[in-house]
Amino acid sequence: MRAQTCQDFEHIFVDGGSTDGTLDMLAAYPGNKRILRDVGGGISRAMNQGIEAARGAIVAHLHADDYYATPDVLERVGRCFDSSGAGWVVGRIQVLHEGRLLPQYPQRRFSYRAYAAGHASIPHPAVFVRREWFARAGLFDTSLRYAMDIDLWLRLAALAPPAMLDDTLAIFREHAGSVSSSNKLQARREEFAVRRRYLARAPLAFAVYCLRYLKRMHALRRTTTA
């Protein structure tokens, strides 16, 4: 973050009670920062605490392993907000796996129906939201463990589509725990339940998603039993 050409930001660290020296590292971190300590209750609650503590106009989330792709990301995102007047901006991410950046997936044209059908994606580290829009759409659902972002994006998209930046904004560092088959099965089930909440807004898109869901679950079950 210190390398960003735009330095008009605050950095809110949300700590879940770490005992590995993280707090000492954060204390030494320079710049405009605040540390929320001992925030329990899961990742959704941690992100909500950060949103509620934020004083800036735009909110974004980076988890511990993620980072912005280039020094001008915040500057480019700011220009996009100014030129589009959008309530939220979405860019692209690139996955870092075992020290190697993987090829990017093509960014599909966004629409509510495309996202509801699972054809379009919204990568969390590359999402920027005007703070007042959380008052309109609500915060992350703390009852969810995996699909809290999908749930919020569907609520935001019901208000208005995001402005799309066809640029890589963030690097997502993939690790073994994030790709385990057991977690994927649970995540897929929760995602299905979340998308079903919004069935009435796009019933045909949800039907398309159901076909994709059945195919993916079959493949995952084969992987876990192999």
Side-chain angles (χ1 to χ4, degrees):
M1 295 295 290
R2 285 181 289 173
Q4 288 295 307
T5 54
C6 172
Q7 286 292 305
D8 184 16
F9 65 85
E10 61 177 346
H11 205 160
I12 300 174
F13 296 96
V14 184
D15 174 66
S18 58
T19 59
D20 59 357
T22 298
L23 289 176
D24 292 334
M25 294 175 59
L26 296 182
Y29 182 86
N32 184 13
K33 71 172 185 292
R34 278 185 289 162
I35 303 173
L36 308 183
R37 300 170 184 263
D38 298 320
V39 177
I43 189 170
S44 291
R45 184 169 184 271
M47 292 190 293
N48 287 346
Q49 291 283 299
I51 294 167
E52 291 171 344
R55 293 174 293 203
I58 309 297
V59 175
H61 292 94
L62 275 181
H63 299 301
D65 290 338
D66 304 337
Y67 58 93
Y68 289 130
T70 59
D72 64 342
V73 164
L74 297 185
E75 188 176 343
R76 281 184 286 149
V77 169
R79 288 199 301 266
C80 185
F81 272 109
D82 290 341
S83 63
S84 68
W88 54 316
V89 169
V90 176
R92 303 172 70 173
I93 64 168
Q94 200 160 0
V95 175
L96 183 66
H97 179 70
E98 297 181 349
R100 184 173 64 90
L101 287 172
L102 302 183
Q104 286 187 328
Y105 292 106
Q107 187 179 52
R108 291 177 178 266
R109 183 178 178 85
F110 182 88
S111 70
Y112 191 94
R113 289 181 178 178
Y115 189 65
H119 290 310
S121 63
I122 299 179
H124 197 156
V127 174
F128 298 77
V129 183
R130 291 190 189 274
R131 186 159 53 90
E132 65 265 23
W133 274 51
F134 290 109
R136 300 176 62 186
L139 300 178
F140 291 99
D141 185 339
T142 56
S143 71
L144 299 173
R145 185 178 178 186
Y146 301 102
M148 70 288 283
D149 50 352
I150 294 172
D151 176 65
L152 180 55
W153 308 156
L154 284 165
R155 282 184 273 130
L156 284 168
L159 298 175
M164 304 297 294
L165 269 176
D166 191 20
D167 296 324
T168 299
L169 301 183
I171 306 299
F172 172 79
R173 198 188 310 268
E174 190 176 77
H175 53 85
S178 66
V179 296
S180 67
S181 296
S182 59
N183 285 347
K184 281 189 174 182
L185 280 170
Q186 295 175 47
R188 291 294 184 195
R189 293 189 185 105
E190 185 173 278
E191 179 183 347
F192 181 86
V194 162
R195 291 183 183 275
R196 188 169 56 187
R197 294 178 179 181
Y198 305 96
L199 164 64
R201 284 194 59 86
L204 292 179
F206 180 72
V208 172
Y209 167 75
C210 286
L211 296 175
R212 294 165 60 86
Y213 172 80
L214 291 173
K215 182 179 179 179
R216 289 176 176 176
M217 289 296 284
H218 178 69
L220 281 173
R221 290 191 182 99
R222 289 181 60 187
T223 301
T224 55
T225 57

